[in-house]
Amino acid sequence: MSLQESLNRFQRQQEKCQTTLTRITTRATLPKVVQSHKATPASNSLAPSKVTASVKFSNDTERLQHINAIRKSPVGAQLKRVIGLLFETRQTLTPEEINEACYVDINSNKALFDSLKNNTKVHYDGKRFSYKSKYDLKGKDQLLSLIRKYPEGLQVMEVKDSYPSVLEDLQALKAAGQIWLLSNMDSQEDIVYPNDPKVMIKVDDDIKQHFREIELPRDMVDIEKELQKNGMKPATNTAKRRVMAQFHGITSKPKPKKKREITKRTKLTNAHLPELFQN
């Protein structure tokens, strides 16, 4: 039976129950009306009697239409809805509990059931479904322990779905000086590094100046190559990312350089050549 037929049948049942209940209410009040007529004088016998209030049933049509729209949506949309529910609740739920919470009937949709069972973000134990992140972390202490295992850096995107407040904990660890949270300007990916207080040393100013004078390659690909030559594993793969961007037709647009205008506050170093500033 289709959902529309169920709606029509439900509407007919409402009308039938409405009629039956009205008749029962009328019959129940009829003896009281007769007794009141016998007890009152003839002059008041023509007084209008109170009209019986009709009983109204709640209209559940909109809810059923909403459920029908969800179940007729593509498998991908229903899959996203279920994964979102598992991510927010962080509970192990049966198909019946999922259906009750978000109106997605997994048992009646084999394609959806198989996609959910084989999804990398979902754990299925044979009876219940739950959200599965790459790292099973429960709080700030476990997050810090994991970061310290990656002195070369750990991408934030790999841990941001471990538990709901992981991003807030990263900011708290950064404020406490226990980690370094840096952004890769080329790949726009945040990388977190451990800040071990045991390796804190004092560096002379001449060494700092020498370090700042070292000119790095402008291209991130060249930087990654230099790191690999020195036996270090880069936290990013710019070459692979650019190939994927070209495959999907995404091109990076260089930012136009703003033309510097000369104002009254501009410091002129060639004031003895006024002809240069005529235009």
Side-chain angles (χ1 to χ4, degrees):
M1 181 182 296
S2 63
L3 182 60
Q4 188 62 40
E5 294 177 355
S6 300
L7 291 173
N8 296 335
R9 183 179 178 184
F10 177 74
Q11 190 68 27
R12 290 195 297 270
Q13 289 178 351
Q14 280 190 329
E15 294 174 356
K16 184 177 179 181
C17 292
Q18 174 74 35
T19 304
T20 304
L21 190 56
T22 303
R23 290 177 180 175
I24 294 173
T25 307
T26 304
R27 291 176 183 176
T29 57
L30 184 59
K32 296 181 181 180
V33 175
V34 174
Q35 290 178 4
S36 64
H37 277 290
K38 291 181 180 180
T40 56
S43 60
N44 297 332
S45 60
L46 298 178
S49 60
K50 294 182 180 180
V51 180
T52 306
S54 60
V55 181
K56 296 182 180 180
F57 288 85
S58 61
N59 191 353
D60 211 21
T61 304
E62 293 183 1
R63 175 175 172 272
L64 293 175
Q65 289 177 346
H66 177 62
I67 296 174
N68 183 43
I70 292 175
R71 294 179 178 174
K72 284 187 176 181
S73 61
V75 174
Q78 297 186 56
L79 182 66
K80 181 180 179 181
R81 190 177 181 88
V82 175
I83 294 178
L85 173 68
L86 297 176
F87 174 77
E88 292 176 359
T89 60
R90 297 301 172 114
Q91 298 177 358
T92 55
L93 303 176
T94 63
E96 292 76 16
E97 291 172 338
I98 293 175
N99 187 16
E100 183 178 354
C102 64
Y103 309 122
V104 177
D105 190 2
I106 302 174
N107 290 329
S108 63
N109 192 332
K110 186 178 183 303
L112 175 61
F113 184 89
D114 293 339
S115 298
L116 191 63
K117 183 175 64 174
N118 298 324
N119 194 280
T120 57
K121 291 294 183 181
V122 177
H123 174 70
Y124 180 62
D125 61 1
K127 293 183 179 180
R128 293 178 174 83
F129 295 91
S130 61
Y131 188 82
K132 181 177 66 175
S133 56
K134 183 174 182 179
Y135 298 101
D136 187 17
L137 305 177
K138 303 300 182 184
K140 188 191 301 182
D141 294 337
Q142 294 184 4
L143 176 62
L144 181 59
S145 299
L146 176 68
I147 295 173
R148 286 176 175 172
K149 295 178 181 178
Y150 292 88
E152 71 279 5
L154 178 67
Q155 293 186 8
V156 174
M157 62 179 301
E158 294 186 357
V159 297
K160 68 179 182 180
D161 63 343
S162 297
Y163 57 94
S165 61
V166 64
L167 296 180
E168 289 81 357
D169 287 346
L170 284 173
Q171 294 297 330
L173 292 172
K174 177 184 177 182
Q178 295 179 298
I179 63 171
W180 296 101
L181 190 59
L182 306 177
S183 297
N184 190 316
M185 300 303 294
D186 188 65
S187 61
Q188 301 298 321
E189 296 174 353
D190 292 336
I191 304 175
V192 57
Y193 299 87
N195 185 17
D196 192 350
K198 293 183 295 185
V199 299
M200 296 294 292
I201 58 175
K202 186 178 180 180
V203 181
D204 296 336
D205 293 338
D206 56 344
I207 297 178
K208 294 180 182 179
Q209 184 64 26
H210 180 67
F211 175 80
R212 295 189 182 99
E213 291 175 353
I214 298 176
E215 185 177 356
L216 296 177
R218 294 183 178 273
D219 196 338
M220 193 64 188
V221 176
D222 297 332
I223 295 177
E224 293 172 355
K225 290 180 180 179
E226 292 295 329
L227 290 173
Q228 292 174 352
K229 288 180 181 179
N230 290 274
M232 291 181 285
K233 181 181 178 182
T236 58
N237 192 338
T238 306
K240 181 179 178 181
R241 185 181 59 81
R242 290 178 180 175
V243 171
M244 294 299 296
Q246 292 178 358
F247 178 78
H248 293 287
I250 303 174
T251 57
S252 58
K253 296 180 179 180
K255 294 183 180 180
K257 294 184 179 180
K258 294 183 179 180
K259 186 177 180 181
R260 187 176 180 182
E261 298 180 356
I262 299 176
T263 62
K264 294 181 178 179
R265 296 184 179 182
T266 304
K267 184 177 180 181
L268 301 178
T269 57
N270 294 325
H272 62 287
L273 299 174
E275 63 274 6
L276 295 177
F277 310 102
Q278 291 178 357
N279 297 325

